[in-house]
Amino acid sequence: MSTWVGVEIDGLIVEDYQNHHSNWFFKRSDRVRENCERDECGRLTDEAFIGFRASGASIRRRMTLAGFDLAACEQHFNEHLPAVIEAAEWVLSCEGERSHVESGSLSVRGDAYRQFLDAVKDTSLQDWLDALPEAVSLSKTMSRFSDFSGMPYWCETSAAPLVNAMLSDIPLYTEYSHTDLFNFPCNDSSYFQVALLACCSDDVACELNIVPLIQSGWEDDFRDLEEIQRQETEPHRFSRLSLEETMRLSATQIENLSLQRMCYSNIITSMEAYLGDILKREIFDRPAVKELFVASYKPFKEQSFSLNNLYKALSEIDDEIMKALNTLSLHNIGTAKSLFYSTLMTKFPEKSLRIIGPAVQIRHDIVHRNGRNTKGEALSIDYESVQALANVVLQFMQNVDAQILDGLIAESCID
């Protein structure tokens, strides 16, 4: 099924999209996520807003910089109003030729076009700007408005004929469109939007809510904003939940040392998974980070190729990066520390490393030496050891993730 969303100015949809959205005159920094709690089925509620929001003043300025200002609107209006009048007069002339054959409905049709012509002839852009606020206000209370049947309909709602002309259904049979919302003379909806904004206050809300597209699977949520609001990246959330589950598992059989060793090892595995997942994501999602990785990764520095292989190397760069990342041992704290600093400008907290470093070696002994060190001595890993390491690793990951989020906050404001 199709899903529709639309840009709204003061609650009036001025541009709509099917199964996708355009950014219109919004910028990345206009993105908003509000009331995004989900119900028991995991769906966003009717109050949810994920999309773009900017003030009328901001949009008006951006449209002006793009060439859509009142002067351009007036010129466009003056070019298309005569075409609108000519099209309406042509319909009337056709009605006159057929009047000897039919009556009744033709009279009603003719009356609608005659009243429309009387209302719009000799009008200026300023006349339309003066009438538009009343027309918009009335349209919000009219069930008929925008219920286009293809038949002409003259609306007698206002004392102002031009307002009635704006609210009427007046089909014009032309090769190209010459009217927009409210029968405004133009063939580019941006000019109607300029006219509408000219009638609005500077702080009027311009919005585009893409929640229906997200619910229908056509678009993705603003992941970075979601993570910023949650104060946690998705890779961190996944690893944190794994760590918390490991802590609960450890607590089920406190005296079972085999279980404690398994839990201890899994804590380091969860940490390594987080470091690997966040590193891959940031490298492939952010071109600047990818460039930093390629420039700083030592094995890449040692590679060379002739200039005629440049484009081949560029086409294969993502595969080479992925191969490199998949071979990294991020439980090697020295390697991970260097990579995160050179690639993500992220520092590992030294206090945590003093505990995690030895723990990595213990994990190695658990996995590869059946819980004994190089001297053949059994490692003493109990419930308290597991809980203490889990808390240190949780703090370590939170510290790293906060630095990653700091970069997301900065990027979310860049257009």
Side-chain angles (χ1 to χ4, degrees), residues 48-67:
F49 185 98
I50 302 174
F52 300 83
R53 182 181 295 134
S55 68
S58 295
I59 296 299
R60 195 183 300 127
R61 178 178 180 275
R62 294 169 193 172
M63 295 190 78
T64 297
L65 292 174

Side-chain angles (χ1 to χ4, degrees), residues 271 275 330-334 336-338 347-360 389 392-393 396 400:
M271 179 194 72
L275 295 176
L330 291 177
H331 57 256
N332 183 323
I333 293 300
K337 178 182 177 181
S338 175
K347 295 180 179 180
F348 286 0
E350 291 296 335
K351 183 179 179 180
S352 299
L353 295 185
R354 287 195 291 270
I355 298 173
I356 292 174
V360 169
L389 179 62
V392 169
V393 170
F396 167 77
V400 172

Side-chain angles (χ1 to χ4, degrees), residues 349-369:
E350 291 296 335
K351 183 179 179 180
S352 299
L353 295 185
R354 287 195 291 270
I355 298 173
I356 292 174
V360 169
Q361 182 57 51
I362 293 173
R363 182 253 193 189
H364 182 272
D365 292 339
I366 292 172
V367 173
H368 299 287
R369 296 192 177 93

